[in-house]
């Protein structure tokens, strides 16, 4: 796991965009894992700007989102399908149908979840997964207690996550669905490279657990310690709990130029 502390959200976005552009240069038909939430938005802005400037193309790429609420009517503006279309997909040049999302209104939820995992496998797996992290250490919607080898499935959201996400539902916690579909921790762990972005002091404890805590379903993101290629991009505020912060800074400073992230 590599930890990179940046000065702020823009510097993080540039790193993420550089990694996506480099991947698409090497592999134009790459498969991207796309997160919703606020953390990746500056990266999507940066990529949309670069795409508009002709510096990168998503025309042959494909994408899979991480999660979706259960019970929102199709087309609801806060469904993650609508959010990712609005915030990213519609702003770059993906082909029609190139980005898939779990179907939270499927009549047969277990079958839809299995089909989603199968679709990721059939696409060859995710080359680069962009992730955020919840204050309670969840990734996608894998709340504390999630099996570390879980697959895409239905989950109940914690009260805290519903409170956190109520800002998108007019501040009404009861308007936030109680259930979601989410790629499992096992599913996410199959991505070849994972970039996790976290900014702000309210993420500091989750980042501390993710990087330096014991691997535990109590902090689901800690499963990433078992992955061979994870890059954790944080700002100063989110890095404050890290015991080995000086070492991470030194490692970055001395890193060979050829290495990349
Ligand atoms: C949501 C999403 C996660 C996201 C997390 C943090 O619940 N399901 O994918 O990482 O919250 O969101 P934010 O980046 O807005 O803090």
């Amino acid at each position: 796991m590599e930890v990179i502390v940046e000065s702020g959200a823009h510097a993080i976005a540039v790193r993420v965009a550089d990694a996506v552009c480099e991947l698409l240069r090497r592999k134009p038909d790459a498969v991207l894992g796309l997160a919703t939430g606020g953390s990746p938005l500056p990266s999507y802005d940066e990529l949309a700007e670069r795409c508009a400037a002709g510096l990168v193309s998503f025309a042959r790429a494909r994408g899979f989102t991480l999660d979706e609420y259960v019970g929102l009517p199709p087309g609801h503006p806060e469904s993650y399908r609508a959010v990712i279309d609005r915030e990213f997909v519609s702003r770059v040049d993906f082909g029609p149908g190139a980005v898939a999302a779990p179907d939270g209104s499927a009549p047969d939820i277990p079958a839809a979840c299995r089909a989603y995992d199968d679709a990721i496998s059939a696409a060859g797996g995710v080359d680069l997964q962009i992730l955020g992290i919840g204050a309670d250490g969840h990734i996608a919607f894998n709340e504390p207690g999630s099996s570390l080898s879980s697959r895409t499935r239905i989950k109940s959201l914690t009260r805290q996550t519903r409170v956190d996400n109520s800002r998108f539902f007019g501040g009404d916690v009861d308007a936030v669905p109680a259930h979601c579909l989410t790629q499992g921790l096992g599913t996410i762990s199959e991505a070849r490279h994972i970039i996790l972005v976290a900014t702000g002091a309210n993420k500091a404890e989750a980042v501390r657990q993710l990087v330096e805590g014991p691997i535990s379903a109590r902090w689901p993101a800690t499963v990433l310690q078992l992955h061979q290629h994870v890059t954790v991009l944080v700002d100063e505020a989110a890095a404050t709990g890290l015991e080995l912060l000086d070492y991470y800074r030194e490692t970055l400073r001395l890193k060979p130029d050829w290495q990349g992230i």
Side-chain angles (χ1 to χ4, degrees):
M1 182 177 283
E2 177 175 33
V3 180
I4 300 179
V5 185
E6 290 287 8
S7 53
H10 179 68
I12 291 174
V14 168
R15 283 246 190 220
V16 174
D18 285 350
V20 172
C21 292
E22 165 59 18
L23 171 65
L24 289 173
R25 193 189 55 73
R26 257 189 304 118
K27 186 177 180 184
D29 60 349
V31 178
L32 300 172
L34 302 173
T36 45
S39 305
L41 292 182
S43 304
Y44 295 152
D45 290 343
E46 178 72 22
L47 284 165
E49 279 176 28
R50 292 189 194 191
C51 188
L55 299 173
V56 63
S57 172
F58 297 80
R60 293 178 55 201
R62 282 162 301 165
F64 289 89
T65 66
L66 286 168
D67 44 13
E68 182 58 284
Y69 293 110
V70 169
L72 291 182
H76 187 287
E78 290 310 325
S79 75
Y80 280 174
R81 169 85 256 181
V83 169
I84 201 70
D85 284 347
R86 186 168 66 233
E87 302 290 358
F88 185 48
V89 178
S90 64
R91 300 169 65 201
V92 296
D93 59 344
F94 276 114
V99 175
D103 181 2
S105 58
D108 183 343
I109 292 278
C113 291
R114 276 194 303 277
Y116 198 64
D117 277 348
D118 289 348
I120 295 172
S121 299
V126 170
D127 291 296
L128 174 58
Q129 175 68 57
I130 299 169
L131 277 185
I133 186 169
D136 63 0
H138 72 243
I139 51 175
F141 267 140
N142 291 280
E143 297 282 29
S146 290
S147 158
L148 299 183
S149 61
S150 47
R151 312 301 306 177
T152 300
R153 69 214 183 289
I154 192 167
K155 286 291 288 181
S156 300
L157 296 174
T158 63
R159 184 79 189 164
Q160 186 59 54
T161 297
R162 294 177 73 204
V163 169
D164 288 348
N165 289 2
S166 65
R167 66 189 193 277
F168 301 114
F169 292 83
D172 179 4
V173 180
D174 294 325
V176 183
H179 294 101
C180 63
L181 302 188
T182 180
Q183 283 191 36
L185 295 172
T187 319
I188 293 168
S189 295
E190 286 168 4
R192 286 182 268 281
H193 181 197
I194 295 174
I195 299 181
L196 185 145
V197 172
T199 53
N202 70 323
K203 300 292 174 70
E205 178 60 11
V207 168
R208 186 176 78 86
Q209 294 287 344
L210 155 69
V211 178
E212 297 176 347
I215 296 172
S216 164
R218 175 65 186 84
W219 293 90
T222 59
V223 73
L224 300 179
Q225 292 178 25
L226 295 168
H227 194 280
Q228 292 186 4
H229 193 183
V230 174
T231 310
V232 177
L233 296 177
V234 289
D235 67 358
E236 298 282 350
T240 48
L242 294 172
E243 198 182 339
L244 303 182
L245 189 53
D246 290 345
Y247 172 62
Y248 308 136
R249 289 191 204 277
E250 173 96 338
T251 301
L252 183 64
R253 195 172 59 77
L254 299 177
K255 193 170 174 176
D257 287 340
W258 53 263
Q259 217 172 7
I261 65 167

